[in-house]
Amino acid sequence: MITPSTIAIFEHEMKQYAAELREIGLIIDREPDRLTEFLHTSALQAINHMMIPPEYGGQPIVTIGQERYYGLSSLERVITIEQLSAGDAGVFLGGPGPSMSSIVMIDLGDEDQKERFYSHFLKGAAWAVFALSEPEKGSDATEISTRITRHPDGGMELTGHKFYIGNGHRASIGLVFAQTNRTPLGIQVAIVDPSLQGFTATPLDTMGLRGLQLSHLQFEAFPLEEKDILGRHLSPTKRGLWGALRTFHRMRPSVAALALGVAQAAYDYVVEHRTIFTEREKTELERLEMRLHALRSMIRNAAAEIDHDANKGYLASLSKIRAASVAEEATEWALEMMGPGSLLEHPLLNKWYRDARAFEFMEGTTSIQKINVFQAYANGKMQHV
């Protein structure tokens, strides 16, 4: 567990991995398919094992102080992700590992399903997909149209489309949200094996976070078995939709940390490459530095609150709103500070400017987050904010 006395040590360890991601960031931005050439790096090997519980073979990140971190707490994740995102958010997100699917698996999977899922990442680099978003529906879990059909002979099949799914064409295993009937309790999560017939994945061309290679997934009579359905051992109220909501609450501080990392990278770049500032520019520099410090505190408090109670997502929503905005403003400010032609003369700033625009749409837009905050306020859950 991370404590105040070990945060600096942990951050130092993550900065070393971040440096490796920075070295290949522009290469992967130009040619996302080349990411597999760098799987030997210590950073991508560490990412592959993040968020795997030790009882299922997880390998911790061990710091110079011999602390061991598996990335299973929200606080561990936001500290890790901020540093790695400052290295390169696109490479980090495109890297192998169970990613956010692990959170659902921990909450909803039975022992056999967990063994089956996590074993993919112990054999070498592997990718998992978290397939919720759909064409024209976004990530609204209540409007899922992908369907699980049960046949009289006991067989099952999955049919539908998923859109904007990270690493979709790379995955060797994944979790797919689908419905069995048009009620919240009818939403189910299925483990899928992309090697089976009936699955296709098409990478989409994007402006930012190109290493993630968002994909369009299509399921055509994709075969399922009862053992593929998560939460069979749980009550209907604690299955699909419940798992989706808890996952979003737990991942929002991580998305905020992604945005913070890019904003911090832009700030650091200006400080490194500019030596003379006007008084106005010094004021702007100091103001952004204070905003970054305040945002970091907010994100880590949100993560700690989620670790205490995964149903309290309002502070995570607030931090995600703020972080997405700061990332966009910081990258635009950095381009202005570096002068005319900076989009061409500073490829990293060009990349970060494009990457920063993606965070608004990850884990719910600002409008969705404001609804979450209002609902928490209306229900009397924001007394200390």
Side-chain angles (χ1 to χ4, degrees), residues 107-119:
D107 279 345
L108 302 184
D110 59 32
E111 292 303 312
D112 289 341
Q113 290 168 335
K114 291 175 181 177
E115 289 281 0
R116 171 183 166 193
F117 178 78
Y118 290 119
S119 66

Side-chain angles (χ1 to χ4, degrees), residues 44-362:
L44 289 179
Q45 289 182 14
I47 291 169
N48 186 57
H49 291 102
M50 280 180 60
M51 299 176 64
I52 300 178
E55 60 268 30
Y56 297 102
Q59 299 177 19
I61 294 170
V62 182
T63 68
I64 56 175
Q66 296 304 303
E67 292 88 1
R68 303 164 72 84
Y69 301 110
Y70 292 89
L72 297 176
S73 75
S74 291
L75 184 56
E76 287 179 14
R77 286 195 296 273
V78 297
I79 294 173
T80 300
I81 289 171
E82 178 195 339
Q83 299 302 328
L84 297 183
S85 179
D88 193 88
V91 179
F92 165 67
L93 290 172
S99 188
M100 63 192 300
S101 292
S102 182
I103 296 176
V104 179
M105 183 58 64
I106 289 171
D107 279 345
L108 302 184
D110 59 32
E111 292 303 312
D112 289 341
Q113 290 168 335
K114 291 175 181 177
E115 289 281 0
R116 171 183 166 193
F117 178 78
Y118 290 119
S119 66
H120 278 260
F121 310 98
L122 305 182
K123 304 168 186 175
W127 286 261
V129 292
F130 179 91
L132 173 60
S133 299
E134 296 189 355
E136 302 180 1
K137 302 290 178 62
S139 57
D140 185 352
T142 63
E143 292 294 326
I144 289 173
S145 59
T146 300
R147 191 166 188 83
I148 295 174
T149 302
R150 285 181 164 84
H151 300 303
D153 62 1
M156 304 165 62
E157 64 181 33
L158 178 68
T159 302
H161 295 258
K162 296 294 181 179
F163 216 63
Y164 301 131
I165 307 302
N167 296 314
H169 79 295
R170 296 174 173 140
S172 61
I173 196 166
L175 302 184
V176 177
F177 286 76
Q179 61 159 293
T180 55
N181 58 66
R182 299 290 299 182
T183 70
L185 296 182
I187 296 173
Q188 301 288 319
V189 185
I191 307 176
V192 299
D193 177 353
S195 67
L196 297 179
Q197 188 174 359
F199 173 88
T200 57
T202 305
L204 304 171
D205 191 23
T206 60
M207 291 290 291
L209 297 180
R210 287 173 48 78
L212 179 58
Q213 285 210 294
L214 296 175
S215 301
H216 174 198
L217 310 186
Q218 186 171 358
F219 299 90
E220 292 285 352
F222 183 88
L224 292 176
E225 299 179 38
E226 197 63 42
K227 67 178 183 179
D228 299 325
I229 306 301
L230 294 188
R232 296 172 300 156
H233 58 300
L234 302 173
S235 67
T237 57
K238 290 189 175 183
R239 294 178 189 170
L241 184 57
W242 180 83
L245 293 176
R246 286 171 63 90
T247 298
F248 285 153
H249 289 170
R250 289 176 172 172
M251 290 307 297
R252 280 180 187 128
S254 297
V255 175
L258 281 168
L260 172 59
V262 172
Q264 185 69 57
Y267 170 87
D268 292 341
Y269 190 92
V270 171
V271 171
E272 180 181 353
H273 291 83
R274 283 280 302 266
T275 56
I276 300 175
F277 298 91
T278 66
E279 289 303 315
R280 179 186 63 82
E281 290 172 338
K282 288 180 182 178
T283 300
E284 292 178 357
L285 196 68
E286 292 171 359
R287 182 180 295 118
L288 179 56
E289 183 181 23
M290 289 187 290
R291 291 181 71 191
L292 293 173
H293 281 303
L295 178 58
R296 182 172 297 107
S297 178
M298 173 183 274
I299 292 170
R300 292 182 181 182
N301 284 333
E305 184 167 82
I306 289 293
D307 285 334
H308 177 70
D309 184 352
N311 295 310
K312 288 186 176 181
Y314 57 89
L315 192 55
S317 290
L318 285 170
S319 66
K320 198 269 182 179
I321 292 171
R322 181 69 57 82
S325 175
V326 169
E328 293 186 13
E329 293 173 21
T331 51
E332 186 170 353
W333 166 85
L335 288 169
E336 292 174 357
M337 292 288 278
M338 298 308 296
S342 54
L343 273 172
L344 295 177
E345 296 173 3
H346 300 277
L348 283 172
L349 289 183
N350 180 311
K351 181 184 188 303
W352 296 336
Y353 178 83
R354 288 182 283 110
D355 288 348
R357 272 70 199 160
F359 302 124
E360 165 66 15
F361 303 99
M362 297 174 68

